[in-house]
């Protein structure tokens, strides 16, 4: 399928059909695609938690603001977390990156205040979200990216120590009753001439 068709097909799903199961192979593919996501200096300051267990998903749904219903309906919830403990993450960097990149990271860490460094980390996690969204539609899966989660409560429930949840992605198949389907609610975007500059 052509990339523009896929971009038109993908939409933020508001109602899922929980009776349709996601093939295991698609879930495994999504894990691998996220692991392969690009990041600045290959820093990979993330963890992706895959939740299929309905009870655990329901517990997280309760602390997901306006997203509760769709998280309960979707068969899979992927939580995107960012490295939050810099000393712990230093060990990850030193054990997984070549020395040249470790040195580069160390110079960035020395220069940036902690809040800016963490902000830079978070930007990398958003890149992985974009990669995940594209992968889902390419596999024929529907999804909803969600910032509307209570990250601190997610962290407690998931018992994450050094990574902080900042985003979630509900994945499954849309319900025919979903009013946000592109056939019902056409895509709304700014005009190409406003956002694309070709020189
Ligand atoms: C980073 C991010 C966070 C979002 N958070 C939510 C959310 O919490 N709940 C929700 O229903 N949609 C959420 N959305 C969906 C957007 O509202 C949606 O992508 C946007 O309106 C464009 O519509 P489309 O994706 O259907 O084309 C989010 C999208 C992004 C990219």
């Amino acid at each position: 399928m052509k990339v523009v068709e896929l971009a038109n097909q993908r939409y933020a799903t508001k109602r899922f059909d929980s009776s349709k199961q996601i093939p295991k192979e698609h879930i495994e593919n999504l894990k691998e695609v996220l692991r392969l996501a690009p990041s600045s200096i290959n820093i990979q300051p993330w963890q992706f938690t895959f939740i299929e267990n309905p009870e655990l998903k329901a517990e997280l749904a309760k602390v997901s603001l306006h997203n509760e219903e769709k998280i309960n309906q979707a068969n899979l919830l992927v939580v995107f977390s960012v490295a939050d403990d810099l000393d712990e993450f230093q060990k990850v960097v030193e054990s997984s990156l070549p020395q040249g990149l470790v040195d580069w990271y160390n110079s960035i860490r020395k220069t940036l205040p902690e809040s800016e460094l963490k902000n830079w980390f978070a930007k990398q996690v958003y890149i992985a979200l974009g990669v995940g969204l594209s992968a889902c539609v390419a596999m024929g899966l529907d999804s909803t990216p969600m910032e509307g989660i209570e990250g601190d409560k997610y962290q407690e429930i998931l018992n994450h120590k050094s990574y902080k949840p900042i985003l979630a992605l509900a994945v499954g198949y849309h319900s025919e009753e979903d009013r946000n389907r592109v056939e019902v609610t056409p895509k709304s975007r700014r005009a190409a001439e406003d956002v694309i500059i070709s020189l």
Side-chain angles (χ1 to χ4, degrees), residues 161-176:
K161 301 284 181 227
S162 49
Y163 288 82
K164 187 174 147 184
I166 53 170
L167 283 168
L169 183 64
V171 185
Y173 293 98
H174 70 265
S175 153
E176 288 308 311

Side-chain angles (χ1 to χ4, degrees), residues 10-12 14 66-67 70 126 129 144-148 180 187 189:
R10 189 215 54 78
Y11 76 101
K14 303 293 177 181
H66 57 296
N67 294 308
K70 52 182 108 67
Y126 277 77
L129 174 72
T144 317
M146 295 171 293
E147 285 179 313
N180 211 37
K187 266 213 180 296
R189 289 295 189 269

Side-chain angles (χ1 to χ4, degrees), residues 47-135:
Q47 269 187 348
F48 311 108
T49 309
F50 279 63
I51 299 136
E52 293 176 77
N53 177 297
E55 288 81 33
L56 180 55
K57 205 157 53 62
E59 215 182 317
L60 294 166
K62 275 193 205 129
V63 291
S64 304
L65 312 172
H66 57 296
N67 294 308
E68 179 168 1
E69 196 182 24
K70 52 182 108 67
I71 292 175
N72 279 320
Q73 292 168 347
N75 289 129
L76 170 67
L77 181 70
V78 184
V79 177
F80 290 64
S81 303
V82 64
D84 195 44
D85 179 329
L86 294 183
D87 292 334
E88 277 304 308
F89 190 62
Q90 186 71 28
K91 294 179 202 160
V92 175
V93 169
E94 285 172 12
S95 65
S96 59
L97 292 187
Q99 194 55 47
L101 290 178
V102 174
D103 294 343
W104 198 345
Y105 171 68
N106 285 341
S107 67
I108 294 170
R109 188 176 174 188
K110 232 185 260 163
T111 343
L112 288 185
E114 185 169 328
S115 63
E116 276 185 48
L117 188 66
K118 288 184 174 176
N119 190 29
W120 177 63
F121 282 175
K123 288 181 193 168
Q124 314 311 316
V125 179
Y126 277 77
I127 294 171
L129 174 72
V131 170
L133 287 168
S134 300

